[in-house]
Amino acid sequence: MQTTFFVLAALLYAVCAFLPSHQRLAISAGTAVGWLLHGVALWGDVITPGALRVGFAVMLSAALWISVAAYWLENRNFSLDGLRVLVLPSAAAAVLLPVLFPGNVMPLAGKSVLLSWHIAIAILAYSTLTIAAFHAVLMALQESKLHTRPGAGANGWLAAAIDRLPALLTMEKLLFRLIAFGFVLLTLTVLSGVVFSEELFGKAFQWNHKIVFTLLSWLLFGLLLAGRHWRGWRGKTALSFTLSGFATLFLAYVGSRFVLEVVLHRGLA
């Protein structure tokens, strides 16, 4: 049943990604239905009796599920068609990953209830900063288009979608709201992982690749917010920090889990 829902959600996302922008009602309705199917399938796949299914595919699929919700809600207040053509194709691909890479089952027996909260907050942090990265990519394309001579740029569907984006300053405000919220969630993820490490994972806190990359990402986003507040950082500086922070965070869990599960064929680590 979960596989069917995953496939249907992927198809709806893909169709909605390429529908003409004037079909707003169809896009909104199709995205909402796809999101609901995606969520039901994720719940059935991840939540098993007395255990949780974890892995890079589940994390990435969940992150894109929340990113689709963020796009859908934001698009009701702003015309973010450019975000649609980035988020929905990515979600269409990510939604199928748990079918191909089921990950590992983590027994919850003897684990603290804090573990579920830690995982939920971590997924929210990844998801919020994922949508911020999509915003940053759009802003980079939008800024590049501003410096292109009229008639010299591309005339494809992506270029048309970028033309319909809000003003660059509005996009920048949205970006920093997302980063601030994601930074708070990431801070909670780091603190809960460090303070409750033994209770969460059954072992004392130890340095590893995931911790190092997560802390480096946290530092990059923290520096960006501080630079924004104290030095007025914006434009290319803000975009560079955002994409660097996201890439580092991606490596912290999704990238490292991909190597462990797919390349090295190892279980939970």
Side-chain angles (χ1 to χ4, degrees), residues 102-119:
N104 309 104
V105 175
M106 175 190 291
L108 294 178
K111 301 286 187 182
S112 168
V113 69
L114 289 171
L115 178 61
S116 298
W117 283 103
H118 172 78
I119 293 173

Side-chain angles (χ1 to χ4, degrees), residues 193-205:
V194 171
V195 175
F196 300 107
S197 180
E198 193 160 358
E199 191 173 357
L200 287 171
F201 309 113
K203 56 187 177 183
F205 172 77

Side-chain angles (χ1 to χ4, degrees), residues 16-82:
C16 291
F18 297 103
L19 279 175
S21 59
H22 64 269
Q23 296 187 16
R24 289 180 60 87
L25 183 59
I27 292 169
S28 181
T31 302
V33 173
W35 182 82
L36 288 172
L37 291 171
H38 188 177
V40 170
L42 267 180
W43 180 270
D45 192 54
V46 174
I47 309 297
T48 59
L52 288 176
R53 186 178 299 279
V54 296
F56 87 92
V58 168
M59 175 65 79
L60 200 55
S61 184
L64 266 298
W65 180 67
I66 296 174
S67 297
V68 169
Y71 147 73
W72 190 84
L73 291 171
E74 282 190 10
N75 197 51
R76 296 176 69 84
N77 300 315
F78 302 95
S79 178
L80 294 174
D81 210 49

Side-chain angles (χ1 to χ4, degrees), residues 162-223:
I162 291 171
D163 286 337
R164 291 188 293 271
L165 288 173
L168 198 54
L169 285 176
T170 302
M171 291 288 289
E172 190 173 78
K173 288 178 182 177
L174 289 171
L175 175 67
F176 276 99
R177 285 180 193 170
L178 288 166
I179 292 172
F181 183 57
F183 181 73
V184 170
L185 292 171
L186 187 59
T187 301
L188 291 174
T189 302
V190 171
L191 286 176
S192 63
V194 171
V195 175
F196 300 107
S197 180
E198 193 160 358
E199 191 173 357
L200 287 171
F201 309 113
K203 56 187 177 183
F205 172 77
Q206 57 182 346
W207 290 97
N208 55 36
H209 56 278
K210 185 167 68 176
I211 294 295
V212 171
F213 279 127
T214 301
L215 288 175
L216 181 56
S217 176
W218 179 84
L219 182 62
L220 286 169
F221 283 117
L223 283 173

